[in-house]
Amino acid sequence: MPYKVAVLPGDGIGPEVIHEAVKVVRATGANLTFEEALFGGAAIDGAGEPLPASTLALCQSSHAVLMGAVGGPKWDNITPPEHRPEIGGLLRLRKELGLFANVRPAKTLTPLIHASPLTEGRSMIDRVVMRELTGGIYFGQPRGRRDDGNTAFETSVYTRHEIERIARQAFDIAMARRRNLVSVDKANVLETSRLWREVVNEIAADYPQVSMSHMLVDNCAMQLVRDPSQFDVILTENMFGDILSDEASMITGSLGLLPSASLGESKGESVFGLYEPVHGSAPDIAGQGRANPLAAILSAAMMFQYSFGDGATAARIESAVESALNDGLRTADIFESGTRLVSTSEMGDAVAERLASA
């Protein structure tokens, strides 16, 4: 029986990079079926809302979701804000699908080690940021503005259950890696962080093989720049993870290279997930063939690893990406003297060809 993948191209460069990701997945020869649906700004334009009921139903009936990026200036002034692509689309979809664990690996690719913006101490980096995805300040109630319009407020809320489940996911991933985990919070100031630290300590007792420590978020931001190689798995809450994962990603050279997975509860060796590149919709380069599809392609590799339990195919895709880069192929965001500039589709073709011939 084939796995069913819901494909949500999204906005801006989303359709371009997702097209290449699907091309590469087909080149693996895996037994999959794909079905596209409107999502984000494209769904607002085509169906009047960012997450149509038919799109949600498709995702719920699929084994995994492969998604591009959503949003852009065209929809920035939609009111109320809950109807915008990012909030009414992406945040709502994560909530509806029960996706609470955002996994963002940041790994240096050997051919691009010099692409890091850090000019000193460039070295191979291989870390994962585990971001809690459905709690904290992005979802807490109440929120809004005072009647006079001069004061705005959000509420940050975390429950023990929300912290326990993301912590277990993080420790499980640490067990499969270098068995080192740093839990990041702001426990010197925030009550939610004190609960976070308390619960993480409790879960850590079930994983004596993992070396675990705590770090305040401001120190973590500094340490990622000072010595990024010290980290293996970083576990943190929603807003801190949103910021730190982008910082960690850029240290490897380009947001166009970084994949992500948003996961739900594990079911045996597999888990339902939504897979998307870390980068945004980049409407300024949409339709120009300049977008880097590698983050979307590597997100598809994560789909094989987590949702299909097929680490071998994930590794094949990663190897094909590195092979294309080793051969000097570069999209505009990572182009440098001595390499060959290729378009979005040419990069997808190159990865697919290397998969087919492997």
Side-chain angles (χ1 to χ4, degrees), residues 109-157:
L109 298 174
T110 303
L112 297 175
I113 190 169
H114 296 295
S116 171
L118 301 183
T119 57
E120 298 294 334
R122 284 173 173 155
S123 60
M124 297 300 291
I125 298 165
D126 183 3
R127 80 180 81 78
V128 170
V129 177
M130 290 289 294
R131 168 193 171 194
E132 199 289 324
L133 206 55
T134 59
I137 201 166
Y138 290 170
F139 289 94
Q141 297 295 330
R143 63 196 306 162
R145 291 195 179 190
R146 303 294 183 196
D147 290 341
D148 63 6
N150 295 323
T151 304
F153 58 95
E154 319 285 349
T155 306
S156 182
V157 178

Side-chain angles (χ1 to χ4, degrees), residues 33 97 239 249 262:
T33 63
L97 296 179
M239 185 174 69
S249 298
S262 298

Side-chain angles (χ1 to χ4, degrees), residues 8-15 38-45 49-51 67-78 81 83-91 276-286:
L8 310 181
D11 309 316
I13 63 171
L38 290 172
F39 183 61
I44 293 174
D45 292 347
E49 56 182 319
L51 179 58
M67 192 189 84
V70 296
K74 180 179 181 181
W75 306 284
D76 279 352
N77 296 318
I78 288 178
H83 292 172
R84 288 179 51 178
E86 300 88 345
I87 300 175
L90 185 55
L91 293 188
E276 60 178 314
V278 169
H279 61 70
S281 62
D284 57 317
I285 61 169

Side-chain angles (χ1 to χ4, degrees), residues 189-342:
V189 174
L190 302 177
E191 191 62 38
T192 50
S193 284
R194 286 188 278 274
L195 176 63
W196 183 279
R197 186 170 290 205
E198 175 185 321
V199 174
V200 170
N201 282 334
E202 293 171 1
I203 301 300
D206 295 335
Y207 296 84
Q209 307 96 322
V210 176
S211 174
M212 190 276 292
S213 60
H214 298 282
M215 187 176 288
L216 295 178
V217 62
D218 41 357
N219 185 32
C220 183
M222 178 186 70
Q223 294 294 335
L224 277 168
V225 175
R226 188 186 72 83
D227 180 17
S229 63
Q230 69 182 281
F231 295 101
D232 179 20
V233 176
I234 297 173
L235 164 65
T236 191
E237 60 101 71
N238 203 342
M239 185 174 69
F240 296 160
D242 192 4
I243 298 166
L244 291 176
S245 59
D246 276 3
E247 181 190 8
S249 298
M250 273 307 300
I251 288 171
T252 65
S254 172
L255 281 177
L257 298 170
L258 279 301
S260 75
S262 298
L263 306 177
E265 297 283 357
S266 297
K267 297 178 181 178
E269 295 184 355
S270 64
V271 58
F272 180 85
L274 182 151
Y275 302 89
E276 60 178 314
V278 169
H279 61 70
S281 62
D284 57 317
I285 61 169
Q288 301 175 30
R290 296 175 56 198
N292 188 340
L294 294 183
I297 290 169
L298 291 170
S299 295
M302 294 184 75
M303 178 176 69
F304 279 98
Q305 178 181 353
Y306 290 108
S307 287
F308 304 154
D310 187 354
T313 298
R316 285 178 58 210
I317 294 174
E318 292 169 358
S319 178
V321 166
E322 190 137 357
S323 175
L325 292 171
N326 273 327
D327 289 340
L329 304 184
R330 301 287 189 272
T331 46
D333 60 314
I334 53 175
F335 178 72
E336 58 185 343
S337 177
T339 62
R340 177 186 160 201
L341 181 64
V342 297

